[in-house]
Amino acid sequence: MKRRLVCAVAAVAVLVGAAPPAAAAPKLVQINGAGSTWSANAIDNWRRNVQQRGIFVNYASTGSSDGRAQFRSGTVDFGVSEIPYGLKDAFGGVDTRPNRGFAYMPIVAGGTSFMYNLKIGGRRVTNLRLSGEVVAKIFTGEIKRWNDGEIKADNPGINLPARAIRPVVRQDGSGTSAQFTLWMSKQYPSIWNAYCKKFGKPAPCGLTSNYPFRASDGFIGQSGSTGVSGYVAQDNAEGAITYVEYSYAINARFPVVKLLNQAGYYTEPTASNVAVALTKARINENKSSADYLTQILDDVYRSSDKRTYPLSSYSYMLIPHKVELGVDENKGYTLSSFAYYFLCEGQQQADVLGYSPLPINLVKAGMEQVKKIPGAPTKDINIAGCNNPTFSPDGTNTLARNAAQPSECDKKGSRQNPAGTGGARQDTPVVAAARCAGSGGTSTTGGATTGPSASANPTASAGAIDPDTGLPAGDGGGVADGEQVAAVPVSLDGEGGWKLRHTMMLLAALLFVGLVLGPPFLAHALRGRRDGDQRGRS
């Protein structure tokens, strides 16, 4: 009996030991993503911040088209793009949806800006204003010189040079190109369709991630947001202009165009102006739709709020919903932990980085999307504790509600604001006739411009020569109506980094010190040696 009891206990022990172990809790592992360069500055900041939490995220900013393709094929764990799948690309066909479980999740808002490199008499222009129509004509080759009459009409305070315009466009598949061309196709279809026709595309042309251009027409192609902004920021790229997320102009310490909105005001893509614009975005709220949370921006482009920046939009993360194509619960757990961070704490940094934070409705929707990622932890995040500057107790967008009204100096007309933009905040003095009272910068007394920019410059008054054309800069004559831009010495503001001239200045200073102090030291050393020799002989 005792023996049978021992055997029974042993059998039970074997059965218990043979039972499958409890599933292990997901753990943090390294994850990989690719896509948008428009969003890259924000993503890179966020992924550096979460490393201290043991979350390691690799991100390759290879362009939205590549990010969508890699996510579709499963070579990355997540993708990032400014546009969804399924749109018909005028130059690339239909961008097919992935055959996998996935969803769109908004990650950050921002403005596509127009960063430029333009100087008059050696001083950087920082307050350029353009209408959307003029921008479309520049990037379709219709307007070729900076002193074109349509550009001058937007800028009554600047005597613009006769320098050639160098449009710099993306040569890789780009969500920024798609957003820009979508805007042109909606707002200026005749201009955009005529340009597409030159490349054999019928109207209506629509958006494209693959910007069409010919180098023989004066266009320059570069890859990535870093490529286009880096080209424009070069000392030898005067006359260049590109389209790029606002963050890149800030980092490069370069100005951006103030873009004319529907209300007749020229604005730049600050966090608050973007927030105002995106209150008009139509978001797909059908949870059963494959395009849930994607955006329609037509009403943003046409917003009548005078604070609106027209080219504002959201960027999306493509997230997995199933364990497949290399994504397991460990990767899902890591990705969801990263997403919880940037949807809450990460949005606090958006303004500083050159973006605009998500409003509360998209943060809440994003949190719900995160829960669908395999392995995602169940978190009850206190949304109010995110300290997002858009949040308010009544659900309205605080950042948009409190956005400052634009200066009357930024209203379309005969006056112009001298204040700088983007990463170049120094003023550009304007002609006396276009000076806007209370706008800062130069002041006038009895019709004459006064202040630091009023020094005489014989060369400027004789008419500065444009190196691109050999013609007089500006209107073909001298400086009119008190315009003093050409009379100001070269400004080093907005040109960060150690340059060759700094090295030469340092070497010159060291040489000067050596010439001044070297002979006395040498004489003293020789005299000491001579005295020592004499004492030795004595």
Side-chain angles (χ1 to χ4, degrees):
M1 180 69 179
K2 184 175 180 181
R3 185 175 180 181
R4 286 198 297 270
L5 179 61
V6 170
C7 290
V9 170
V12 169
V14 169
L15 289 173
V16 170
K27 61 182 179 180
L28 294 173
V29 295
Q30 184 172 284
I31 57 173
N32 303 299
S36 168
T37 64
W38 189 95
S39 310
N41 286 341
I43 295 170
D44 285 343
N45 181 270
W46 294 335
R47 67 192 187 92
R48 285 193 298 268
N49 291 345
V50 297
Q51 285 182 9
Q52 60 186 340
R53 306 183 185 191
I55 301 171
F56 292 93
V57 180
N58 291 328
Y59 181 70
S61 52
T62 52
S64 293
S65 296
D66 182 69
R68 291 194 304 278
Q70 288 207 54
F71 181 77
R72 181 169 47 228
S73 65
T75 55
V76 292
D77 306 311
F78 67 92
V80 181
S81 176
E82 281 70 63
I83 59 171
Y85 290 104
L87 296 179
K88 183 180 179 181
D89 189 314
F91 289 85
V94 177
D95 188 22
T96 57
R97 300 178 189 276
N99 186 23
R100 63 181 298 182
F102 80 101
Y104 301 103
M105 182 174 66
I107 60 174
V108 73
T112 298
S113 69
F114 299 97
M115 173 180 160
Y116 64 94
N117 184 342
L118 186 63
K119 294 180 181 178
I120 301 175
R123 182 185 180 108
R124 191 172 305 287
V125 175
T126 63
N127 65 337
L128 189 71
R129 316 188 312 185
L130 296 176
S131 70
E133 183 177 0
V134 168
V135 167
K137 288 181 177 180
I138 286 173
F139 282 93
T140 55
E142 285 192 38
I143 293 178
K144 299 181 180 295
R145 296 206 173 272
W146 284 108
N147 67 339
D148 185 278
E150 292 188 66
I151 298 179
K152 288 162 67 176
D154 283 322
N155 296 276
I158 311 174
N159 281 331
L160 291 157
R163 185 178 292 278
I165 297 173
R166 291 196 264 175
V168 182
V169 301
R170 291 284 292 272
Q171 65 183 14
D172 56 329
S174 161
T176 317
S177 292
Q179 288 287 14
F180 179 38
T181 56
L182 176 65
W183 172 73
M184 285 196 288
S185 72
K186 297 276 188 177
Q187 294 299 99
Y188 310 100
S190 61
I191 297 173
W192 179 236
N193 289 336
Y195 183 69
C196 288
K197 186 177 180 181
K198 296 178 181 178
F199 295 86
K201 300 298 178 181
C205 190
L207 66 76
T208 181
S209 295
N210 304 281
Y211 202 96
F213 71 96
R214 295 189 183 99
S216 59
D217 293 332
F219 284 70
I220 296 159
Q222 294 289 311
S223 295
S225 296
T226 302
V228 294
S229 60
Y231 184 93
V232 171
Q234 294 180 104
D235 287 340
N236 64 351
E238 271 196 66
I241 183 171
T242 192
Y243 54 91
V244 72
E245 207 285 327
Y246 189 51
S247 175
Y248 288 86
I250 291 175
N251 288 348
R253 299 173 66 188
F254 264 71
V256 298
V257 166
K258 282 188 175 181
L259 188 62
L260 185 66
N261 63 26
Q262 193 75 19
Y265 285 81
Y266 298 93
T267 61
E268 64 177 299
T270 60
S272 56
N273 288 346
V274 168
V276 168
L278 290 174
T279 60
K280 300 296 184 181
R282 282 181 277 155
I283 304 297
N284 186 332
E285 296 182 352
N286 181 0
K287 292 185 178 181
S288 63
S289 168
D291 294 324
Y292 174 54
L293 295 183
T294 56
Q295 61 194 330
I296 299 174
L297 300 171
D298 298 47
D299 295 339
V300 172
Y301 305 153
R302 301 166 190 146
S303 171
S304 60
D305 192 310
K306 58 188 180 183
R307 300 168 296 175
T308 292
Y309 183 76
L311 251 172
S312 299
S313 59
Y314 297 110
S315 186
Y316 295 91
M317 182 173 283
L318 309 169
I319 55 174
H321 271 188
K322 294 181 180 178
V323 173
E324 59 181 341
L325 294 177
V327 174
D328 57 18
E329 291 199 347
N330 290 330
K331 287 189 173 183
Y333 176 72
T334 307
L335 177 59
S336 58
S337 300
F338 180 47
Y340 279 132
Y341 165 78
F342 66 67
L343 284 172
C344 185
E345 294 175 56
Q347 298 297 312
Q348 299 171 21
Q349 304 151 22
D351 188 353
V352 175
L353 295 172
Y355 297 85
S356 188
L358 296 176
I360 193 167
N361 64 313
L362 291 185
V363 172
K364 287 179 176 178
M367 293 287 186
E368 291 302 312
Q369 294 289 68
V370 174
K371 293 177 183 178
K372 300 174 184 177
I373 300 174
T378 302
K379 283 193 175 184
D380 186 17
I381 294 177
N382 177 16
I383 294 289
C386 292
N387 295 320
N388 184 316
T390 71
F391 293 1
S392 67
D394 63 1
T396 58
N397 189 320
T398 302
L399 185 61
R401 186 178 65 240
N402 296 336
Q405 297 294 328
S407 167
E408 287 302 303
C409 306
D410 289 320
K411 187 176 182 179
K412 183 174 176 63
S414 60
R415 300 181 298 174
Q416 185 162 3
N417 196 334
T421 57
R425 289 290 168 183
Q426 66 273 18
D427 286 1
T428 295
V430 299
V431 297
R435 182 186 177 274
C436 190
S439 63
T442 57
S443 61
T444 59
T445 304
T449 304
T450 63
S453 63
S455 58
N457 187 323
T459 302
S461 62
I465 300 300
D466 189 327
D468 283 354
T469 64
L471 300 174
D475 293 323
V479 177
D481 294 324
E483 170 62 74
Q484 297 296 330
V485 172
V488 181
V490 174
S491 169
L492 298 183
D493 291 343
E495 300 180 24
W498 186 270
K499 298 187 180 293
L500 177 61
R501 60 175 173 272
H502 302 141
T503 303
M504 298 302 295
M505 290 168 66
L506 178 61
L507 292 174
L510 292 173
L511 181 60
F512 176 79
V513 171
L515 290 173
V516 172
L517 300 180
F521 275 114
L522 182 60
H524 179 75
L526 291 174
R527 186 167 56 252
R529 182 175 180 180
R530 188 170 55 250
D531 292 343
D533 290 342
Q534 289 176 352
R535 284 195 299 271
R537 286 194 295 270
S538 62

